[in-house]
Amino acid sequence: MQNTKPSSKMFLDIVDELRLMIKAEGIKSGDKIPSERVLAERLQVGRSTVREALRSLELLGLIETRRGEGTFLADFKKHQLVEVLSTFVMQQPKAAMDVTDTRIIHEKAAIRTICEEAQKRNLPVWEGLIMKLDEDGEVFREDIIREMIVATDNRLSLKIWFILKRYSKVPYEQMTAGKENDLVRSLLKHLIEGDVIKAISAYDEWIEHIEGENEE
Amino acid sequence: MQNTKPSSKMFLDIVDELRLMIKAEGIKSGDKIPSERVLAERLQVGRSTVREALRSLELLGLIETRRGEGTFLADFKKHQLVEVLSTFVMQQPKAAMDVTDTRIIHEKAAIRTICEEAQKRNLPVWEGLIMKLDEDGEVFREDIIREMIVATDNRLSLKIWFILKRYSKVPYEQMTAGKENDLVRSLLKHLIEGDVIKAISAYDEWIEHIEGENEE
DNA sequence: ATAATCCGAGTGGTCTGACCACTTCTTTTA
DNA sequence: TAAAAGAAGTGGTCAGACCACTCGGATTAT
């Protein structure tokens, strides 16, 4: 009789069984867990199924396998095990806040990188942007940020940012004149000077300003 | 003739082959990739090995499997971010530096976030890690970082980090005693104190130490 | 008695072939 | 023509086998 369980994700069941087993037998981090063959026997499943479950756990860094020796627990906080698993396993609806936070992570990282590398600070594009702002020219918010991330020369970060930007609720369109214009100009100047703290600070103010404007 | 490849992680080889195959045949997100049997045949490995590789990719959200239908590249309508990561990771092996840089962006961002939020600084897990380090217990590098990103409660960032980590060349497994132990303990202490600058500085030293060790 | 060697049990890594459950498309049938 | 039956293909699982490796105990040599 073969199991061929219809309910998807047999590996979840195995992870669950493993958790109980670990708890019941007091297995601690670094300890050896039962061998694949024993697990298969105890859980009444095939060894290959056990292996697929273990492979998943290994990918998450929760266990470590050593050929000829065995499989070992590399985890110490069970509650966080559950936390991590739920993140990957459950198809949770995307949290808008996470998207925004992550987008800001990349934007700030770009600012920091530019401030810390002279040849990126001295790019003519910054002066160009400031000039545009001085003339009250048409400048889009996302242009500013995009130029920054492009300047960091990290294409992966740029790609991630593009995606996050699309999901973000933040209005990235045209900039408003007046205070926002000043804030961005200040940001760019600090950027050129390489003053990380002031640049980040100006960025924070900018974000705050945009959000405040958006709530009206 | 059995393969029984001694070298690490057949999984990576298969991802590599898969990448070439995807590029050569112009497979796009949402498209079907060759069946497990075909892949096994083409890559000259057993089907179970292919399955273990696919299971890993599935956990990362890079592919989607549907019984009776086949295996598909992650549908970008829902998981566009994952799609970008997957194509980037799978199609541009030269961009390893970008992957590392981006990973570090997320790690540093986690440190900053924790330092700036009291309830995240005061998590018992930090004390626990320090105790483990004091006892010279077995601690894995990636455990430290993972706990930090988990603590930020940004699942998206965590997911991105997991994927990036998987393809990073940085040795994330073993943790050496001595200087590295001190560095990490210092990092954790500054984290608890909420001293961003010192924490980041300790992190930088840590990274430097790991890279130096890796070049010998 | 001690140290070096050998060997076998145990373990993860992989392969093969088989069967099941499911989806899709084709063919047959009412 | 439309419904039903079938064939082919696919992921999911299982069982048994062999390989490469590690470790500890037994054997042997010193």
Side-chain angles (χ1 to χ4, degrees):
Chain A
M1 184 258 247
Q2 307 210 40
N3 264 357
T4 317
K5 204 164 181 186
S7 86
S8 55
K9 311 314 167 196
M10 166 77 88
F11 105 91
L12 272 186
D13 299 347
I14 297 185
V15 169
D16 225 49
E17 298 274 5
L18 259 174
R19 266 189 41 238
L20 295 177
M21 189 176 294
I22 287 169
K23 196 167 192 175
E25 305 183 12
I27 300 177
K28 294 172 191 163
S29 54
D31 286 356
K32 192 163 166 297
I33 69 177
S35 74
E36 298 175 350
R37 290 170 177 83
V38 172
L39 283 176
E41 170 79 16
R42 281 214 236 169
L43 306 180
Q44 288 295 294
V45 296
R47 191 183 155 209
S48 54
T49 304
V50 169
R51 278 185 61 80
E52 291 188 9
L54 291 180
R55 177 63 94 237
S56 299
L57 291 180
E58 187 185 12
L59 189 75
L60 294 182
L62 302 183
I63 61 172
E64 183 187 355
T65 59
R66 295 200 282 270
R67 174 191 293 206
E69 296 182 59
T71 305
F72 303 83
L73 201 61
D75 166 62
F76 27 92
K77 290 273 181 284
K78 292 193 186 64
H79 65 280
Q80 273 171 356
L81 182 150
V82 176
E83 168 75 18
V84 171
L85 277 183
S86 68
T87 297
F88 287 88
V89 171
M90 314 291 182
Q91 297 293 350
Q92 297 196 356
K94 85 174 186 337
M97 188 61 92
D98 283 358
V99 175
T100 299
D101 287 347
T102 308
R103 177 177 54 77
I104 291 176
I105 285 174
H106 282 261
E107 295 180 354
K108 283 191 178 180
I111 293 175
R112 287 203 168 84
T113 299
I114 294 169
C115 283
E116 285 161 4
E117 294 185 35
Q119 79 269 21
K120 287 171 183 168
R121 285 207 311 269
N122 298 331
L123 255 38
V125 62
W126 313 134
E127 297 290 356
L129 283 171
I130 290 179
M131 265 199 286
K132 266 231 174 76
L133 289 169
D134 285 338
E135 298 164 3
D136 253 345
E138 214 175 57
V139 181
F140 291 90
R141 283 169 180 158
E142 67 170 276
D143 290 337
I144 312 278
I145 302 291
R146 189 185 341 99
E147 292 294 349
M148 290 183 184
I149 302 185
V150 167
T152 65
D153 198 30
N154 183 332
R155 282 174 296 167
L156 179 56
S157 182
L158 181 61
K159 283 195 176 191
I160 292 174
W161 179 78
F162 261 114
I163 302 301
L164 297 178
K165 174 173 70 68
R166 187 170 309 175
Y167 280 125
S168 268
K169 298 250 179 13
V170 177
Y172 255 115
E173 62 279 356
Q174 176 133 18
M175 282 188 40
T176 59
K179 188 185 175 189
E180 180 170 7
N181 203 310
D182 293 340
L183 278 175
V184 175
R185 215 158 31 213
S186 153
L187 166 56
L188 287 170
K189 275 176 185 159
H190 292 136
L191 198 77
I192 294 174
E193 295 161 5
D195 190 329
V196 181
I197 295 177
K198 286 184 181 171
I200 292 290
S201 172
Y203 171 85
D204 282 333
E205 282 186 65
W206 184 22
I207 293 290
E208 203 176 330
H209 178 266
I210 292 177
E211 283 176 355
E213 166 189 87
N214 205 26
E215 282 171 6
E216 287 165 9
Chain B
M1 188 259 278
Q2 307 209 40
N3 262 357
T4 316
K5 203 162 182 186
S7 80
S8 60
K9 305 313 165 197
M10 171 75 87
F11 154 82
L12 286 179
D13 296 350
I14 295 187
V15 171
D16 238 42
E17 299 277 0
L18 219 49
R19 181 184 61 224
L20 295 177
M21 192 175 293
I22 287 171
K23 193 166 191 175
E25 304 182 14
I27 299 176
K28 291 174 184 146
S29 52
D31 286 356
K32 193 163 167 294
I33 68 177
S35 74
E36 297 176 351
R37 290 170 178 83
V38 172
L39 283 177
E41 169 80 16
R42 283 214 233 170
L43 305 180
Q44 288 294 294
V45 297
R47 190 181 155 211
S48 54
T49 303
V50 169
R51 278 187 60 79
E52 290 188 12
L54 291 181
R55 179 62 95 239
S56 299
L57 292 178
E58 186 183 13
L59 191 72
L60 291 181
L62 303 185
I63 61 172
E64 185 183 347
T65 58
R66 296 199 282 270
R67 173 190 290 200
E69 296 182 59
T71 305
F72 304 81
L73 272 193
D75 185 359
F76 83 104
K77 291 167 198 157
K78 287 182 179 178
H79 311 92
Q80 197 166 30
L81 175 62
V82 166
E83 190 267 346
V84 162
L85 287 175
S86 67
T87 56
F88 192 88
V89 163
M90 287 188 182
Q91 293 182 7
Q92 305 193 14
K94 301 283 192 296
M97 188 60 90
D98 283 358
V99 174
T100 298
D101 287 347
T102 308
R103 177 177 54 75
I104 291 177
I105 285 174
H106 283 260
E107 294 179 355
K108 283 190 177 178
I111 293 175
R112 288 201 167 86
T113 299
I114 294 169
C115 283
E116 286 162 5
E117 295 186 34
Q119 80 269 20
K120 287 172 183 168
R121 287 206 311 268
N122 296 331
L123 253 38
V125 61
W126 313 132
E127 298 289 354
L129 282 171
I130 290 177
M131 266 196 286
K132 267 250 164 54
L133 289 169
D134 284 339
E135 298 163 3
D136 254 345
E138 212 175 58
V139 180
F140 296 93
R141 283 168 179 159
E142 65 168 275
D143 289 335
I144 313 278
I145 303 291
R146 190 183 61 236
E147 296 290 351
M148 289 183 184
I149 302 186
V150 167
T152 64
D153 197 31
N154 184 333
R155 289 152 196 262
L156 179 57
S157 181
L158 179 63
K159 187 159 188 168
I160 293 173
W161 178 79
F162 258 109
I163 298 177
L164 297 178
K165 171 178 73 70
R166 203 71 189 88
Y167 295 96
S168 264
K169 296 287 189 298
V170 178
Y172 252 114
E173 298 83 22
Q174 73 285 0
M175 176 103 171
T176 59
K179 188 186 175 190
E180 178 170 10
N181 203 310
D182 294 339
L183 278 175
V184 175
R185 212 156 34 211
S186 154
L187 166 57
L188 287 170
K189 276 175 184 158
H190 292 137
L191 199 77
I192 293 174
E193 295 163 4
D195 190 330
V196 181
I197 295 177
K198 286 184 181 171
I200 291 290
S201 171
Y203 171 86
D204 282 333
E205 282 186 66
W206 185 21
I207 293 291
E208 202 175 329
H209 178 265
I210 292 176
E211 283 176 357
E213 165 190 88
N214 205 28
E215 281 171 7
E216 285 165 9

Coordinates of all heavy atoms in Angstrom, one line a residue, chain A residues 41 47 52 90 99-100 114:
Chain A
E41 N 11.0 4.5 8.8 CA 10.4 3.4 9.5 C 9.3 3.9 10.5 O 8.2 3.5 10.5 CB 11.4 2.6 10.2 CG 10.9 1.5 11.2 CD 10.4 0.3 10.4 OE1 10.7 0.2 9.2 OE2 9.6 -0.5 11.0
R47 N 11.8 6.4 2.3 CA 13.0 7.1 2.7 C 13.2 8.4 1.8 O 13.6 9.4 2.3 CB 14.3 6.2 2.5 CG 15.5 6.9 3.1 CD 16.7 6.0 2.9 NE 17.9 6.8 2.9 CZ 19.0 6.5 2.2 NH1 19.1 5.4 1.5 NH2 20.1 7.3 2.3
E52 N 13.3 14.3 1.1 CA 12.8 15.6 0.6 C 12.4 16.6 1.7 O 12.7 17.8 1.6 CB 11.6 15.3 -0.4 CG 12.0 14.6 -1.6 CD 10.9 14.5 -2.6 OE1 9.9 15.2 -2.4 OE2 11.1 13.8 -3.6
M90 N 3.4 28.7 4.3 CA 2.1 29.3 4.2 C 2.1 30.3 3.0 O 3.1 31.1 2.9 CB 1.6 30.0 5.5 CG 1.9 29.2 6.7 SD 0.8 27.7 6.8 CE 1.3 27.0 8.3
V99 N 6.6 45.4 2.1 CA 7.1 45.8 0.8 C 7.7 47.2 0.9 O 8.8 47.5 0.4 CB 5.9 45.8 -0.2 CG1 6.4 46.4 -1.6 CG2 5.4 44.4 -0.4
T100 N 7.0 48.1 1.6 CA 7.5 49.5 1.7 C 8.8 49.5 2.5 O 9.7 50.1 2.1 CB 6.4 50.3 2.5 OG1 5.2 50.4 1.7 CG2 6.9 51.7 2.7
I114 N 26.6 55.6 -2.0 CA 27.0 56.7 -2.8 C 27.9 57.7 -1.9 O 29.0 58.1 -2.3 CB 25.9 57.5 -3.4 CG1 25.2 56.6 -4.4 CG2 26.3 58.8 -4.0 CD1 23.8 57.2 -4.9

